[in-house]
Amino acid sequence: MAKKSSPKITFDFPVTVTFVIAAVVVFLIDSFLLKGKIFSVLICHGSKQAAIPFNFKSAADFTGLIFYVFGNASWEMLFANLIVILLLGQILEERYGSLMLGLMMFISVLISGVLTVCVSTVPLSGAGCVIFMMAVLVSLTELTKKRIPLSCLLVFVLFLAFEIYRNTKGAAGSNAMQKVCGVLIEMVGGICGSIFGFLVLPKKRAVKASSKKTIVSYDDYEDEKPSDKKGFSSSGDETVIGTLS
């Protein structure tokens, strides 16, 4: 009697899973071992008008220009970001592939960081731009089918509201407006990454369709004479007649 194989944990969606694991590990090390020292590096500083402007001579600031996406100030921020990334990331990674998803994430992070350095007066941290990119890209993909998924719109709107509330909590006047502008910069970076993905829509479905062979029953043509059945073979009940383009 053959033994039943036990279920195995598979490393599916490597980009999404690796990003989530890295964010959690960085946060745990920073919270319990280094007491916030890593978070001070994982921040993208703002323009010359900011309280702490970006220093072009500092290697730490250039590190923060890219790796600020792993900077999470609290458990709430960490879980809110990673849950949405896990839900949307696996959809996009299956559709576009790991390499393309990683590239789109990098574009979103880079554009948001550069815009922060150029025009923002508030520092940037967290994976908000990546989440905006994923939400917009899922919606744009469904838009090609002449439908807009309400669930993706709700994710986008609710996360935008959460980001504005989180950043403007306790702020007032011009300071609150500056923080709202910081959230808008994250949106712009996410939209730029999603547009890049929209321009290179996956051809996976077309490729799968072209590889499938059509099976046609011989009985479907019983009203025709055997001599009229060009391209068919009478050796069996089913005949392969080419591929779908």
Side-chain angles (χ1 to χ4, degrees):
M1 183 176 179
K3 294 182 179 179
K4 293 183 178 180
S5 58
S6 58
K8 297 180 180 180
I9 298 177
T10 59
F11 189 63
D12 58 340
F13 311 115
V15 170
T16 303
V17 174
T18 300
F19 182 90
V20 169
I21 292 175
V24 172
V25 170
V26 169
F27 185 82
L28 290 175
I29 293 175
D30 191 44
S31 299
F32 297 105
L33 296 180
L34 300 180
K35 306 299 181 182
K37 293 181 180 179
I38 295 181
F39 182 74
S40 62
V41 177
L42 300 181
I43 293 177
C44 182
H45 295 290
S47 61
K48 295 180 179 180
Q49 290 75 29
I52 304 177
F54 186 87
N55 184 3
F56 289 92
K57 297 180 180 179
S58 172
D61 283 14
F62 277 101
T63 301
L65 181 63
I66 299 296
F67 292 99
Y68 70 85
V69 71
F70 295 109
N72 295 280
S74 63
W75 285 103
E76 292 81 3
M77 181 179 177
L78 176 70
F79 285 128
N81 289 346
L82 297 189
I83 288 174
V84 179
I85 289 175
L86 278 174
L87 291 175
L88 299 181
Q90 58 181 333
I91 298 174
L92 296 175
E93 191 163 354
E94 183 178 14
R95 184 175 296 162
Y96 287 88
S98 301
L99 180 62
M100 187 58 65
L101 177 62
L103 182 59
M104 289 186 289
M105 293 170 66
F106 176 78
I107 290 174
S108 300
V109 171
L110 181 62
I111 291 178
S112 296
V114 171
L115 288 176
T116 299
V117 173
C118 293
V119 300
S120 180
T121 58
V122 294
L124 179 63
S125 64
C129 59
V130 173
I131 294 175
F132 284 127
M133 180 271 293
M134 290 182 173
V136 172
L137 190 55
V138 171
S139 301
L140 286 177
T141 304
E142 294 297 323
L143 193 59
T144 60
K145 305 175 186 177
K146 297 183 179 180
R147 62 187 184 188
I148 301 176
L150 180 60
S151 58
C152 294
L153 291 179
L154 287 175
V155 170
F156 183 84
V157 172
L158 291 176
F159 187 78
L160 176 62
F162 171 76
E163 283 288 285
I164 292 176
Y165 170 77
R166 181 180 64 83
N167 283 276
T168 58
K169 185 177 181 180
S174 60
N175 189 24
M177 290 302 299
Q178 290 173 359
K179 292 187 176 182
V180 170
C181 290
V183 177
L184 295 179
I185 286 175
E186 289 183 297
M187 285 183 57
V188 172
I191 291 173
C192 290
S194 64
I195 290 176
F196 174 79
F198 185 70
L199 294 176
V200 288
L201 281 175
K203 308 299 182 182
K204 183 178 292 186
R205 290 185 179 178
V207 172
K208 285 184 178 180
S210 65
S211 64
K212 290 181 179 178
K213 294 184 176 181
T214 305
I215 306 298
V216 178
S217 174
Y218 191 87
D219 296 334
D220 294 339
Y221 295 86
E222 60 183 2
D223 58 334
E224 299 180 14
K225 296 179 180 179
S227 59
D228 295 332
K229 301 179 182 65
K230 296 181 179 180
F232 290 83
S233 172
S234 59
S235 59
D237 293 335
E238 293 180 344
T239 306
V240 178
I241 60 167
T243 60
L244 292 174
S245 59

